[in-house]
Amino acid sequence: MAPDLDGTRRVFGFAPLPGRGGSIVVTVGLAEAEVRQAADHRLGVALAVALGATAFAVLIGWRAADRALLRPIRALSAAAHLVGSGDLSAQARMERGAARELRALGSTFTRMARRLHERDGRIAGMGRQLAASEAHHRLLADTATDMIARFDLSFRHTYVSPACQDVLGLPADGLAGRALSDLVLPEDRAEVESSLVLPLIGGRAAAQVTYRVLRPDGRTTWVESSGRKLADGSGYVLVSRDVSARKALEAQLEDANRQLRILVRQDGLTGLGNRRHFDDTLDTEYRRAMRVGSPLALIMV
């Protein structure tokens, strides 16, 4: 590359003519500016083509990635947000071009959401049944004439039905947290402990006891309580009723039987012991003499 006679810098190329043994050489000279312009043009075209191809490849790759990865991930994220907010009917819908792993994850997520929805449906149904059952049992407890009470493991009241007012003369809310022994007369507490509390704590299925309770008005009420341990082991349930009328009848019957035993052993005219009294007394004394080995004498007047 050298300047020409006119001062223009040129680029020269040399090539021998074929068949001449290299004796004749063809020389071609082009202006340096033209050569550079042509080279720059070709380089610009090549760069433009390369950049266009790169941009096209990036666009294709982005669209493929968006379809295979980004859209499925957004779908999973949206479905997870719906499930997190309580909408268990949400589904992670995957397009056909989604990655196989994401399609599998979407199917698993949809099945999980469906199962959670079905489980919540079953739980809701059980809740409705439980509420209906609780309302039914609450109605029975509130309207029953017998007092129904629930106790914790230390035999303190945790629930008392409204019949408490009729049985004990106390409001139901006044017994919360109070021990069973607080209601029992001191002379009957040992019987309640041995016949009811200890057997239930020891594992017996059921126990029953009759005891006396001092009402707020000063009257004494006979109460009969039947108890069972709760199935979950969290405490006990006692059903109690006022048996004062029955105890009064039993006392009257016992008194009548005692009077009858006296009457059948006395002479109606003189009030002295009759033959039955004599036979019973002789038998009793004979047995006592035989037991202690003492003599027995009988004097008839």
Side-chain angles (χ1 to χ4, degrees):
M1 184 172 59
D4 202 354
L5 296 177
D6 57 359
T8 303
R9 294 177 61 85
R10 297 180 182 278
V11 178
F12 291 92
F14 303 93
L17 290 175
R20 299 293 182 176
S23 59
I24 301 175
V25 178
V26 177
T27 302
V28 177
L30 297 174
E32 181 183 1
E34 294 179 359
V35 174
R36 288 182 179 277
Q37 183 179 5
D40 290 343
H41 176 70
R42 288 194 296 272
L43 179 60
V45 171
L47 286 175
V49 171
L51 289 175
T54 301
F56 182 74
V58 170
L59 178 62
I60 295 298
W62 180 84
R63 289 181 61 85
D66 181 65
R67 187 172 183 178
L69 298 175
L70 299 181
R71 291 183 187 176
I73 291 175
R74 286 196 295 269
L76 281 172
S77 177
H81 178 73
L82 290 175
V83 171
S85 63
D87 183 6
L88 297 180
S89 62
Q91 297 183 6
R93 299 185 182 277
M94 297 288 114
E95 297 182 1
R96 180 174 298 178
R100 181 178 59 184
E101 293 80 2
L102 290 177
R103 289 201 305 271
L105 182 60
S107 299
T108 302
F109 183 89
T110 300
R111 288 196 300 272
M112 180 193 70
R114 185 181 301 115
R115 290 175 181 175
L116 287 175
H117 183 66
E118 294 172 353
R119 186 207 62 181
D120 278 11
R122 291 193 297 270
I123 292 177
M126 293 171 61
R128 289 190 295 269
Q129 294 178 0
L130 181 61
S133 176
E134 182 178 359
H136 175 69
H137 287 88
R138 176 74 65 173
L139 177 64
L140 293 178
D142 290 347
T143 57
T145 57
D146 291 348
M147 183 183 76
I148 301 173
R150 179 173 178 171
F151 296 82
D152 59 17
L153 294 176
S154 60
F155 266 95
R156 292 186 176 275
H157 293 82
T158 59
Y159 166 78
V160 182
S161 67
C164 174
Q165 186 69 50
D166 297 329
V167 177
L168 303 179
L170 293 170
D173 55 2
L175 290 179
R178 295 184 60 182
L180 174 63
S181 59
D182 293 344
L183 308 176
V184 184
L185 287 183
E187 50 267 43
D188 291 348
R189 288 175 184 172
E191 177 67 18
V192 173
E193 185 77 11
S194 61
S195 298
L196 180 71
V197 176
L198 292 180
L200 291 178
I201 293 177
R204 186 183 298 179
Q208 182 174 311
V209 67
T210 303
Y211 53 94
R212 288 167 295 175
V213 173
L214 184 63
R215 297 170 62 99
D217 57 8
R219 293 188 296 114
T220 299
T221 298
W222 280 96
V223 176
E224 182 183 79
S225 295
S226 301
R228 287 183 176 273
K229 190 171 185 178
L230 293 172
D232 59 2
S234 62
Y236 309 90
V237 170
L238 263 63
V239 178
S240 304
R241 62 184 60 183
D242 184 351
V243 293
S244 299
R246 191 189 73 190
K247 294 294 290 186
L249 290 176
E250 291 176 355
Q252 293 176 9
L253 180 60
E254 178 62 27
D255 184 65
N257 288 333
R258 184 172 58 255
Q259 293 295 331
L260 181 60
R261 287 193 297 269
I262 294 174
L263 290 175
V264 298
R265 292 161 59 89
Q266 285 183 348
D267 179 72
L269 179 62
T270 63
L272 300 175
N274 57 16
R275 178 61 183 265
R276 181 186 295 275
H277 189 186
F278 171 79
D279 291 341
D280 291 343
T281 303
L282 179 61
D283 181 68
T284 300
E285 294 301 325
Y286 177 78
R287 291 178 181 275
R288 180 182 293 112
M290 293 294 292
R291 186 170 61 253
V292 301
S294 64
L296 174 64
L298 172 64
I299 299 177
M300 299 190 66
V301 178

